[in-house]
């Protein structure tokens, strides 16, 4: 299962990467759930290819995440994720919503909010713009990328995600 792969990869210090398993297990590692685990925990996943498969079909599960990260300009210098590292930069009280925030040396940031529950979830992520070194007037905008959830309201430094489907995520550009 993707979640056990993530757990064991962290325990043995081999890095934040889902390990795809054998051919019979690979469908689980090319699923929305696997992509959600990667988005929630700041991980990556290998795309499993076999003879006769089409690359575009195999990467479809993780392409929205790749496209989101591709929107971030500059070199990533900090990553905030309260799931496994204390941070004052972001917080979310909804237990099934996992926020992760990448900051770059250009003063821009990308916020991903992921639902690791199979049911729809609603919740608010509180950003600490001062901790991020950003102005209170920093623009926070949802990304319009195919495959991302877009029912998001931004009010100042609060991002509310409405009815985020299970194993899905949304992405917002900050800066």
């Amino acid at each position: 299962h993707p979640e056990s792969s993530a757990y064991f990869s962290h325990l043995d210090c081999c890095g934040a990467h889902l390990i795809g398993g054998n051919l019979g297990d690979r469908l689980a590692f090319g699923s929305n759930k696997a992509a959600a685990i990667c988005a929630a925990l700041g991980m990556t996943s290998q795309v499993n290819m076999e003879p006769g498969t089409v690359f575009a079909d195999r990467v479809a599960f993780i392409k929205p995440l790749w496209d989101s990260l591709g929107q971030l300009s500059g070199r990533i210098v900090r990553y905030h994720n309260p799931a496994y590292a204390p941070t004052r930069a972001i917080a979310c009280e909804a237990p099934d919503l996992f926020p992760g925030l990448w900051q770059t040396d250009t003063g821009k940031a990308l916020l991903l909010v992921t639902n690791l529950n199979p049911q729809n979830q609603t919740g608010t992520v509180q950003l600490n713009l001062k901790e991020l070194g950003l102005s209170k007037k920093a623009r926070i905008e949802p990304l319009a990328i195919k495959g991302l959830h877009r029912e998001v309201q931004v009010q100042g430094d609060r991002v509310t995600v409405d009815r985020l489907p299970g194993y899905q995520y949304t992405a917002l550009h900050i800066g």
Side-chain angles (χ1 to χ4, degrees):
H1 299 287
E3 58 267 43
S4 62
S5 172
Y7 175 76
F8 287 111
S9 72
H10 283 293
L11 279 183
D12 69 8
C13 302
C14 73
H17 185 86
L18 292 185
I19 301 165
N22 296 322
L23 183 58
D25 300 324
R26 288 185 180 168
L27 283 179
F29 291 87
S31 65
N32 285 345
K33 185 177 185 178
I37 289 169
C38 289
L41 301 178
M43 299 178 72
T44 186
S45 181
Q46 68 189 52
V47 175
N48 296 299
M49 297 295 294
E50 287 87 26
T53 61
V54 177
F55 182 73
D57 295 341
R58 290 295 181 179
V59 302
F61 79 102
I62 201 139
K63 190 164 182 338
L65 178 58
W66 288 353
D67 291 347
S68 298
L69 290 168
Q71 297 294 311
L72 193 55
S73 62
R75 187 173 57 86
I76 296 171
V77 294
R78 291 180 74 190
Y79 177 61
H80 303 273
N81 191 316
Y84 58 82
T87 180
R88 292 185 300 246
I90 53 174
C92 182
E93 293 194 16
D96 295 317
L97 295 183
F98 287 74
L101 189 141
W102 286 261
Q103 278 187 280
T104 70
D105 57 358
T106 63
K108 308 290 185 195
L110 176 75
L111 172 66
L112 290 178
V113 182
T114 307
N115 178 8
L116 288 184
N117 185 306
Q119 305 300 316
N120 290 359
Q121 300 292 308
T122 295
T124 300
V125 174
Q126 178 68 52
L127 300 169
N128 183 335
L129 296 174
K130 184 177 179 183
E131 180 72 20
L132 294 168
L134 297 171
S135 161
K136 288 187 178 200
K137 296 181 181 184
R139 293 179 60 161
I140 304 170
E141 300 175 315
L143 295 179
I145 292 177
K146 183 180 177 182
L148 293 182
H149 181 74
R150 295 189 190 148
E151 293 183 42
V152 178
Q153 293 86 41
V154 177
Q155 296 173 324
D157 57 1
R158 296 171 56 87
V159 175
T160 301
V161 182
D162 192 30
R163 296 183 310 275
L164 181 59
Y167 306 125
Q168 295 290 315
Y169 44 93
T170 189
L172 297 99
H173 185 265
I174 303 170

